[in-house]
Amino acid sequence: SQQGEEDPQALSIQEGENATMNCSYKTSINNLQWYRQNSGRGLVHLILIRSNEREKHSGRLRVTLDTSKKSSSLLITASRAADTASYFCATVDGNSGYSTLTFGKGTMLLVSP
Amino acid sequence: GAGVSQTPSNKVTEKGKYVELRCDPISGHTALYWYRQSLGQGPEFLIYFQGTGAADDSGLPNDRFFAVRPEGSVSTLKIQRTERGDSAVYLCASSSMGLAGPSYNEQFFGPGTRLTVL
């Protein structure tokens, strides 16, 4: 079953603009991660934020986590055409002790030159 | 070094047939995961191996699905009596450890096998 929802489902922007994607989840988590997927195939890990963290940066990526609202956001600054892909948030359950990932449905990002 | 590999990359089969999908994890990774991704959806967890044993198979949809990892490395996902609803991309991932502790170990994904059941 899917953990939660990303919104928007699709996002279309111009190069140079910022892209913000949101993710909501339902259960307690150990950590939350964001992945990128091109052409419906291989998933690439972008960034991980732990349940006791509120914000994390990696290059042009900024992730926030609000455990009280069970939500996270991914901000991509100064977007490029090469950022066009689907983006998924995934959570690791806070109680199971295992690292299995529960994914959302994803946001399709289109960055036009 | 080599990443996670999956074979075949594409598999077309007829309803009712048996299929096997193979995953070669990164050498030395003890944890191996199978996920299934339907069109327009995020991946859904199927089964997790720690070494040779299935530590969590709660995601397998029914008893037509079975997976093995006999030597703690390569894993095979087996689907019996395939149905059209089994059509999806089957993703495999591995990590150096599978426990959700303070030292999180990233999962590395393979390119997936696209299964089409006619």
Side-chain angles (χ1 to χ4, degrees):
Chain A
S1 62
Q2 311 270 212
Q3 165 70 290
E5 303 286 331
E6 279 98 327
D7 85 272
Q9 290 186 341
L11 180 61
S12 184
I13 60 175
Q14 300 289 315
E15 266 192 325
E17 294 180 340
N18 294 343
T20 300
M21 290 161 265
N22 302 295
C23 165
S24 61
Y25 58 92
K26 298 174 183 171
T27 62
S28 68
I29 62 171
N30 176 285
N31 65 71
L32 184 145
Q33 301 165 49
W34 285 89
Y35 282 81
R36 168 184 153 147
Q37 186 177 44
N38 290 85
S39 305
R41 285 298 188 105
L43 284 152
V44 175
H45 181 263
L46 296 175
I47 194 165
L48 176 152
I49 186 164
R50 300 186 189 283
S51 60
N52 61 353
E53 297 176 313
R54 292 297 166 257
E55 189 170 312
K56 203 110 178 251
H57 296 256
S58 176
R60 292 185 297 113
L61 305 180
R62 172 179 170 253
V63 169
T64 62
L65 178 65
D66 186 334
T67 53
S68 67
K69 296 180 179 177
K70 291 187 167 59
S71 67
S72 173
S73 68
L74 171 67
L75 168 67
I76 304 174
T77 60
S79 62
R80 306 165 182 168
D83 294 329
T84 294
S86 290
Y87 292 82
F88 295 91
C89 70
T91 56
V92 173
D93 184 78
N95 298 316
S96 74
Y98 296 133
S99 289
T100 54
L101 295 167
T102 303
F103 286 85
K105 293 184 179 180
T107 293
M108 289 182 58
L109 174 65
L110 173 64
V111 182
S112 302
Chain B
V4 177
S5 63
Q6 292 185 246
T7 54
S9 57
N10 287 283
K11 175 71 176 177
V12 180
T13 190
E14 293 180 344
K15 181 174 177 292
K17 298 290 188 182
Y18 168 83
V19 297
E20 290 189 351
L21 311 179
R22 176 185 167 110
C23 172
D24 275 273
I26 292 173
S27 178
H29 279 189
T30 60
L32 185 145
Y33 311 79
W34 283 99
Y35 297 86
R36 177 170 75 171
Q37 186 175 23
S38 300
L39 191 63
Q41 302 292 314
E44 291 188 299
F45 166 71
L46 294 177
I47 187 169
Y48 153 56
F49 286 91
Q50 184 60 42
T52 60
D56 183 358
D57 64 358
S58 62
L60 295 177
N62 51 60
D63 61 6
R64 295 187 297 105
F65 289 74
F66 189 70
V68 295
R69 195 186 185 200
E71 297 178 358
S73 178
V74 170
S75 176
T76 304
L77 178 66
K78 308 181 181 192
I79 310 174
Q80 299 177 323
R81 304 183 303 281
T82 52
E83 299 178 355
R84 293 195 180 87
D86 299 335
S87 296
V89 175
Y90 289 81
L91 296 163
C92 176
S94 71
S95 68
S96 54
M97 283 179 60
L99 301 177
S103 300
Y104 174 75
N105 296 277
E106 179 183 340
Q107 291 185 31
F108 294 86
F109 281 81
T113 293
R114 184 179 301 279
L115 175 66
T116 303
V117 182
L118 301 177

